[in-house]
Structure formats: C-alpha cells, structure tokens
Amino acid sequence: MDSIKNTVNQGLESLQGTSAEAKKEGNKGIAKDSNVGVGDRATAAKDALGNKVDETKHDAKSEGYKQSK
C-alpha cells in the first residue's frame, strides 16, 4: 500500500516540478524581452526565481518518494 502511495506522490511531485519549470522558462523569456517594460521584466525575473525554488522543491520530493519505493 505504501508503495502505491509513494508512486502516486512521486508522479504528482514530478508533475508539479515540470509545471514550475515551464512557468520559470516563461518568466525568463519575459525578463529577457527588451520590448517589455522594466517593471514587468523585474517582476518576471522575481517570479522566475520563485518558480526555480518550487521546481527544486518538487523535484527533491519526487526523488524522495522514488527512493522510498
């Protein structure tokens, strides 16, 4: 039973990590776009950092569930 739960949790954490990565890449694109206003670029850069933290957190949790199977 724990193995099934860990497998499901690993999949969910992996999916959340992938989602955070996609958001990070989108925000990086906005932050690098010279046609976007400075304020929006700064906000996108800040958001990209937060997304990177989320990505790392979810990837670590996913790996933990993977190891506990």
Side-chain angles (χ1 to χ4, degrees):
M1 183 68 167
D2 283 340
S3 178
I4 294 170
K5 183 178 174 184
N6 288 339
T7 299
V8 169
N9 285 334
Q10 178 198 1
L12 291 173
E13 290 295 342
S14 179
L15 181 61
Q16 289 174 329
T18 301
S19 175
E21 180 182 14
K23 290 177 186 178
K24 176 192 74 177
E25 292 301 323
N27 281 322
K28 280 175 51 179
I30 293 169
K32 292 179 179 181
D33 187 348
S34 62
N35 293 320
V36 175
V38 173
D40 290 337
R41 291 174 69 187
T43 299
K46 177 190 69 77
D47 291 345
L49 287 172
N51 297 138
K52 179 61 179 176
V53 169
D54 290 344
E55 176 189 4
T56 302
K57 178 180 70 174
H58 290 300
D59 288 349
K61 283 185 178 181
S62 176
E63 186 62 28
Y65 285 121
K66 182 179 177 181
Q67 296 296 325
S68 65
K69 286 196 256 181

